[in-house]
Amino acid sequence: MKRIILMVIRSIFLLPYWLFRIFRLCNIEKYDAKTRYDFLHKITPIVIRRGRIQIECTGLENLPKENGYIMFPNHQGLFDALAFLQTHERPFVTVMKKETKNVFLLKQVIQILQAEVIDREDIRQSMQVIMNMTRRVKTGENFLIFPEGTRSRKGNELLEFKGGSFKSAMNAKCPIVPVALIDSFKAFDTHSIKKLKVQIHYLEPLYYEDYKGRKSTEIASYVSSLIQDKIKEKTR
């Protein structure tokens, strides 16, 4: 929370303009997905720098050349999405928990990104989100979903990856991109405002030929192991 306050204070003169633009970009009939995303992609590095955070990013060359893929990162905290907004140049769509849909600014970001909002306690609604993702990925949209379902709260340790999170990729037969986040939890989930380096590593994608015939739980376990291995490599 202290770092969020620091970001706000150090951006105080730009905030009115940013908020004005964000609210205008919520008009999805007037602004296309790239225009809406590009604005968030432009201001995110400014906000991050003013929070005394440096992003170390590797593996961008691993992202599929064609759109229509789903990224599956570990989930460490509130800062995770900002790491993606800074480093991922192409528009992507997030899957967010229903608890965020009425939170100021998050509500507007959901609108700008046209995010899917999921209620994990409602099986029918969750299945509808999976169907929506499948349809949208097939049309060339990129997605970001956290397969743990909630943030770890264990630092760089992972929770179990849920097989159901991978159903959309399996149905769409699209590339699966594992992504390893390291020390992201330190940004907003601690009380420190010391200089911080957050790592984001885009790993080699799994194409349909790589995972066809596997169960969703097997894919989830394999993707989790790839991310765990990268975290261990980078935190030795």
Side-chain angles (χ1 to χ4, degrees), residues 131-146:
M131 292 171 61
N132 292 346
M133 285 179 62
T134 301
R135 171 181 54 81
R136 295 176 69 178
V137 170
K138 283 183 175 180
T139 64
E141 292 187 83
N142 305 315
F143 265 83
L144 167 66
I145 185 170
F146 296 102

Side-chain angles (χ1 to χ4, degrees), residues 57-74 84 87-88 90 92 133 137 141-147 161 165-166 168-170 173-181 200-208 210-211 219-220 222-224 226-227:
C57 175
T58 66
L60 286 173
E61 70 279 2
N62 290 326
L63 290 171
K65 298 296 185 280
E66 300 295 327
N67 288 323
Y69 52 83
I70 303 179
M71 297 176 285
F72 293 88
N74 55 312
F84 280 93
T87 59
H88 194 275
R90 284 177 272 173
F92 65 85
M133 285 179 62
V137 170
E141 292 187 83
N142 305 315
F143 265 83
L144 167 66
I145 185 170
F146 296 102
F161 278 28
S165 301
F166 292 84
S168 294
M170 297 170 69
K173 300 180 180 179
C174 73
I176 290 172
V177 183
V179 186
L181 288 163
I200 180 169
H201 304 282
Y202 295 88
L203 309 185
E204 291 186 11
L206 304 177
Y207 292 93
Y208 180 64
D210 298 321
Y211 64 80
I219 298 171
Y222 181 61
V223 170
S224 175
L226 293 174
I227 293 173

Side-chain angles (χ1 to χ4, degrees), residues 166-228:
F166 292 84
K167 290 289 187 180
S168 294
M170 297 170 69
N171 294 340
K173 300 180 180 179
C174 73
I176 290 172
V177 183
V179 186
L181 288 163
I182 300 174
D183 291 340
S184 182
F185 69 96
K186 294 180 180 179
F188 294 158
D189 293 56
T190 66
H191 298 294
S192 174
I193 57 171
K194 292 180 179 179
K195 287 184 179 180
L196 170 66
K197 180 168 73 175
V198 172
Q199 300 180 49
I200 180 169
H201 304 282
Y202 295 88
L203 309 185
E204 291 186 11
L206 304 177
Y207 292 93
Y208 180 64
E209 293 298 317
D210 298 321
Y211 64 80
K212 71 176 182 179
R214 294 192 188 187
K215 296 179 180 178
S216 60
T217 51
E218 294 173 338
I219 298 171
S221 178
Y222 181 61
V223 170
S224 175
S225 69
L226 293 174
I227 293 173
Q228 285 178 327

